[in-house]
Amino acid sequence: MRVLALETSCDETAAAVVDDQGNVLSDVVHSQIAIHAPYGGIIPELASRDHLRNAEYVVREALARAGIVDVSSVDGIAVTCRPGLVGALLVGVQVAKALAFATDLPFVGVDHLVGHLLAVRTIRPGSTNAVPAYPYLALLVSGGHTALYRVDGPLLTDIREIGATRDDAAGEAYDKTAKLLGLGYPGGPTIDRLAHDHEALAAGDRHDEEPFTLPMLRGFEFSFSGLKTQVAQRVAKQPEILKNPARIAALCAAFQEAMTRVLVQKLFLAAEAEDVTRVVIGGGVAANRGLRARILRVAKKRNVEAYLPDLASCTDNAAMIGYAGAMRLVRGERDTLALCAESRTSLPRTTRKGRGERV
Ligand code: KG4
Ligand code: ZN
C-alpha cells in the first residue's frame, strides 16, 4: 500500500509518499524558519499563509519524486489533523480532503505525536538503521511536547503516556535558553553545536561552567522551566558571560548536560518499570548529538536496545505521518470528509500541565 501524506501542523510544509512497510518513497519538507526567525518564535498567521503558498508544490514534488504520475494511483491519503496550530493544520487538512474527494481514495487523519512515535520505523533510502519490534519505551522530545510513552503497536489505542512535562517542552526550553543567550531562533541546534564544540576542546583549553541543578529527578514527569530560569539567573549575576563566546559555549554544554541527563535517566527508568527492553526517541530534539550519544552509552551499559531515527525522521516530516496513516488504513480504518483540525492530541494524557503531584 502506498500512501500520500501531508503535514502542516507547525512551521514545516511537508508531503511524502510512504508504503505500509515504512519505506519512504519520497519526502519533501519546506521549512518556514527564515520567515519566523526575525520574530524569535512562530507567528501562527504567517505559518498558515506560507502553508497555503507551498502545499500544492510539496504535494506535486512528493508525487514526482516517488515516480507517481497520477495521484489516484496511490492507495490512500493521510494528513496530520492534530495537535498543532489550528490555522496551520487546516491548510493540510483541506488539501488532503480535496485530494481524497477528487480521487475517491481512502482518507485518514493522523495525530502528529503518533507520527513522531512511529518515525523510527520509517526506512529512508540507504539507511541501515534497524526497526524496533513492539513494545518499546519512547521519549518524545519536540518543540511542543515532551513525554514518555509505552508503545505496544502503531495505533492510538496501543500507546500509553507514562509521564510528560508539567511546563516547558524540551525544545521550548532549548529555544528560550538560546534566545536569552542571544543565539537566535530556533536555538536547539545552535546550543547543540556550541556544546559539542566546547566538549571537543582539550581539557587544558577548556573552562567548564558550574553545573546546573538537575530539574525534577523523581518520577516520570518533567519540568524544564526551572532550568531555563537557572540559566537566566546565572547570566543576570554574571553578565560578562554574554560577552565571551567561549563562556557562552561552556554554558550551553552545562545546559545540555543537565537536560540530557534528566531525559535519559527517566527514559531508562521508565523502560525498567515497564519491563521493556527497547528504547526509542522521536521529535526535533531527538536530533541532538549529546542526547543521542548519552542514550547509546547508557543502553550499552544496561543491555537495552536503543533505536535512534535518522535525523530527517526526528524533525517534522510527512513520511512519519504517511506511515502512521498506512497503519490505520491497512486495518480498515477510515475518516470522513467531516474530519476537523484540533489543537490538542488525541493521546490520553495523565500529566496535568502546571499542577502539583499527579493523583
Ligand atoms: O519536532 P519538531 O520539528 O517540531 C515540533 O513538533 O515541535 O521540533 C522542533 C524543536 C525545536 O524546539 C528545535 O529547537 C528542536 O526541536 N531541535 C533541537 C535540535 N534540532 C531541533 N534541539 C536540540 N538539539 C538539536 N540538535
Ligand atoms: Zn513535531
Side-chain angles (χ1 to χ4, degrees), residues 3-353:
V3 175
L4 168 68
L6 277 110
E7 151 66 44
T8 63
S9 67
C10 194
D11 61 341
E12 259 99 28
T13 318
V17 180
V18 188
D19 70 19
D20 59 344
Q21 301 302 304
N23 295 304
V24 180
L25 308 178
S26 67
D27 176 37
V28 182
V29 181
H30 169 80
S31 167
Q32 300 181 351
I33 284 179
I35 292 174
H36 304 291
Y39 303 94
I42 294 161
I43 308 294
E45 181 61 23
L46 295 184
S48 310
R49 287 171 191 241
D50 202 57
H51 286 313
L52 263 180
R53 269 193 293 274
N54 293 296
E56 185 185 337
Y57 163 76
V58 294
V59 169
R60 283 190 189 283
E61 196 62 23
L63 291 170
R65 289 188 202 174
I68 294 167
V69 181
D70 178 3
V71 62
S72 31
S73 65
V74 300
D75 303 292
I77 293 179
V79 64
T80 308
C81 60
R82 62 198 305 171
L85 304 167
V86 169
L89 285 164
L90 270 174
V91 178
V93 168
Q94 289 307 115
V95 172
K97 280 184 188 175
L99 285 167
F101 181 69
T103 55
D104 214 16
L105 283 167
F107 165 70
V108 283
V110 169
D111 191 293
H112 182 82
L113 304 189
V114 175
H116 276 308
L117 293 173
L118 301 185
V120 70
R121 307 180 65 80
T122 57
I123 305 156
R124 290 172 185 273
S127 167
T128 51
N129 284 353
V131 170
Y134 299 111
Y136 52 80
L137 216 299
L139 170 67
L140 170 54
V141 268
S142 73
H145 298 86
T146 292
L148 291 162
Y149 296 93
R150 180 190 167 109
V151 181
D152 283 287
L155 302 181
L156 264 171
T157 45
D158 300 321
I159 300 173
R160 182 161 57 82
E161 184 192 295
I162 308 286
T165 180
R166 291 187 186 173
D167 42 57
D168 289 351
E172 193 179 353
Y174 264 99
D175 294 341
K176 287 176 175 171
T177 300
K179 198 169 178 178
L180 73 93
L181 296 175
L183 298 176
Y185 175 86
T190 312
I191 291 186
D192 189 13
R193 181 171 48 78
L194 292 178
H196 182 264
D197 292 350
H198 175 77
E199 269 151 17
L201 292 175
D205 297 338
R206 140 183 162 188
H207 176 74
D208 288 339
E209 291 289 330
E210 206 175 303
F212 292 107
T213 308
L214 301 185
M216 202 183 237
L217 270 182
R218 289 186 48 210
F220 297 128
E221 296 183 349
F222 302 92
S223 171
F224 293 120
S225 71
L227 182 56
K228 168 197 69 195
T229 308
Q230 285 187 61
V231 180
Q233 286 170 343
R234 179 87 54 94
V235 170
K237 254 199 219 150
Q238 304 175 52
E240 65 279 8
I241 293 177
L242 293 182
K243 299 200 188 95
N244 183 337
R247 290 198 68 186
I248 292 180
L251 204 68
C252 289
F255 171 85
Q256 181 140 307
E257 171 80 12
M259 177 63 97
T260 56
R261 277 179 75 160
V262 172
L263 292 171
V264 173
Q265 179 166 324
K266 294 197 188 222
L267 169 62
F268 284 90
L269 282 177
E272 197 177 298
E274 289 291 323
D275 206 11
V276 167
T277 56
R278 299 175 199 96
V279 298
V280 157
I281 48 176
V285 185
N288 186 275
R289 274 190 277 187
L291 178 65
R292 296 170 79 92
R294 189 179 289 275
I295 288 179
L296 292 179
R297 268 200 316 272
V298 178
K300 209 168 168 191
K301 241 193 266 165
R302 297 205 181 196
N303 224 0
V304 166
E305 293 169 27
Y307 296 84
L308 311 180
D310 297 322
L311 296 188
S313 300
C314 293
T315 42
D316 286 350
N317 65 86
M320 64 185 192
I321 303 303
Y323 179 66
M327 293 301 94
R328 290 196 60 199
L329 289 165
V330 291
R331 284 162 179 78
E333 295 191 12
R334 303 283 183 268
D335 282 317
T336 70
L337 297 182
L339 180 80
C340 288
E342 306 273 353
S343 62
R344 291 174 164 252
T345 178
S346 36
L347 284 170
R349 287 178 303 172
T350 49
T351 300
R352 291 177 301 165
K353 274 209 154 190

